[in-house]
Amino acid sequence: MSDPEVPQPERPKDVNDVVDSANAGLDAAAAAGAGVPGTPAATSSDADRPTTTEPAVDPDLAAFEAAENEHPGTFATPELNDPKYLDDDTDTRASSWKSDADATAVYTPPAAHEQSAMAGAAYSSADDTETRIVPSEPAASEPIVAPVQQQPIFVQAPEPPRERGNRGTAGGIGLLATLVFAILYLGATLGLGAIAGDVDGTNIGEAALAPLTTWGFWVPVVVFFLGFWLLGAFINRGRWGLWVVFGIIVGLIAYGGHILGALFEAPFWLLTASEGNELVGSQLFHPLAIAAFVFGRELTIWFGAWVARSGARKTELNAEAQREYERTLEAGPTLSR
């Protein structure tokens, strides 16, 4: 079974086809005019009839009429008949054509095809317009790169390492040294009481608790702690040799603490100047004052060794942190991804 034929739309006539058809019509009109006489012969029967002259057929007009009949609308230009497109010369030509139309129809000159008129207008304006070649689209081989605005990158410089101090460690170790000093000082007090016969096995408990409630016991203990911590703050991360040399200062501070404790125990605000001087003179060579000096100096030396070891460790950590900081500066800034 064959497929049904689909009607194809009529293709528009080409200008050349129309011109060829018009030329063929001109040739046919010329051939027809050659065999037709312009004026018929008069006969006797026609003598009484009025004589009439038939107008001659214009072959060009006949050819254009034939072409217009075959291709309607090809040569017609309605815009040219519009009064707004007519000027004085057009009216003059139209009146001259109408005056000659006694025996023939009014001749309307054929206008060019709309496409031909547009082409003529384009060619007429080509002389006044500069020719420009505009590419329809960018070439595929030339990639379009959009400008990228580079954003500033802020890099924070590394901070130098903060040195580790040893003063806090000296204070903590000083508390332990002070506790040992208090125990030794209390033992010396009980030993002197036992030598004097005031302390024995029956009242040793009461004798041990009695000094804990007096100024004479706690003032030297507190003064020793302050002396030890101040020396640790001064030496900081220093070597143990500094503790050995300057430990005598802590011993003297503890010695002065014993005398100051005796003044608070009196109390000194109730004493006269002479009584105060006598009290201080009696405590200068007291066995507990000498014991406070010895305990203060020795404890400073031995506990100072512990503080010095901690200070050496802090010194190594600080040096390592400084080296790491210098390596970071030499490496320069890096962008983390």
Side-chain angles (χ1 to χ4, degrees):
M1 183 176 181
S2 62
D3 296 334
E5 297 182 358
V6 180
Q8 300 292 334
E10 184 178 359
R11 298 179 61 185
K13 301 294 183 178
D14 192 11
V15 177
N16 296 327
D17 297 339
V18 176
V19 173
D20 294 339
S21 178
N23 292 331
L26 289 175
D27 296 338
V36 178
T39 304
T43 59
S44 60
S45 61
D46 297 330
D48 297 335
R49 296 180 182 178
T51 61
T52 59
T53 304
E54 295 182 358
V57 179
D58 191 352
D60 295 335
L61 179 61
F64 277 108
E65 289 180 352
E68 180 66 22
N69 292 331
E70 292 180 3
H71 307 284
T74 303
F75 300 97
T77 307
E79 292 81 358
L80 297 178
N81 295 327
D82 196 342
K84 66 181 179 179
Y85 296 104
L86 298 177
D87 53 4
D88 296 339
D89 297 338
T90 306
D91 295 339
T92 304
R93 290 195 300 268
S95 60
S96 63
W97 290 342
K98 291 180 180 179
S99 63
D100 296 339
D102 296 332
T104 62
V106 177
Y107 171 70
T108 303
H113 194 266
E114 182 178 1
Q115 183 177 3
S116 299
M118 294 175 62
Y123 282 111
S124 62
S125 60
D127 298 335
D128 300 334
T129 305
E130 183 181 358
T131 304
R132 294 183 301 172
I133 301 176
V134 181
S136 60
E137 60 183 5
S141 60
E142 300 178 358
I144 300 176
V145 180
V148 179
Q149 184 177 4
Q150 185 176 4
Q151 298 294 334
I153 300 175
F154 299 95
V155 180
Q156 184 177 2
E159 296 182 357
R162 185 178 180 181
E163 292 186 354
R164 294 178 174 87
N166 201 36
R167 295 179 178 88
T169 305
I173 297 175
L175 289 175
L176 297 177
T178 303
L179 178 61
V180 176
F181 177 85
I183 295 174
L184 293 177
Y185 190 75
L186 180 60
T189 302
L190 294 177
L192 292 175
I195 294 173
D198 298 332
V199 178
D200 54 13
T202 59
N203 61 353
I204 188 173
E206 296 177 358
L209 295 176
L212 299 179
T213 59
T214 61
W215 287 97
F217 176 80
W218 289 111
V219 170
V221 172
V222 173
V223 169
F224 169 78
F225 170 76
L226 293 176
F228 187 94
W229 183 75
L230 289 175
L231 182 61
F234 174 74
I235 297 176
N236 197 4
R237 297 184 302 271
R239 296 185 177 183
W240 181 51
L242 297 176
W243 291 92
V244 174
V245 173
F246 293 102
I248 191 173
I249 296 177
V250 180
L252 293 175
I253 291 174
Y255 175 80
H258 171 78
I259 297 174
L260 185 62
L263 291 174
F264 273 95
E265 187 68 25
F268 66 91
W269 56 86
L270 299 178
L271 300 176
T272 62
S274 59
E275 293 176 348
N277 292 331
E278 185 180 356
L279 178 61
V280 171
S282 63
Q283 297 294 326
L284 289 178
F285 297 100
H286 195 280
L288 285 179
I290 299 174
F293 172 78
V294 174
F295 294 156
R297 183 183 182 279
E298 294 299 324
L299 291 176
T300 301
I301 293 174
W302 299 111
F303 280 91
W306 189 3
V307 178
R309 181 178 298 179
S310 176
R313 177 59 179 169
K314 298 290 181 60
T315 302
E316 294 178 359
L317 294 177
N318 292 334
E320 180 62 28
Q322 183 65 27
R323 288 192 294 268
E324 182 65 24
Y325 172 71
E326 293 176 355
R327 286 194 296 266
T328 304
L329 291 180
E330 292 177 357
T334 57
L335 182 60
S336 59
R337 297 182 180 275

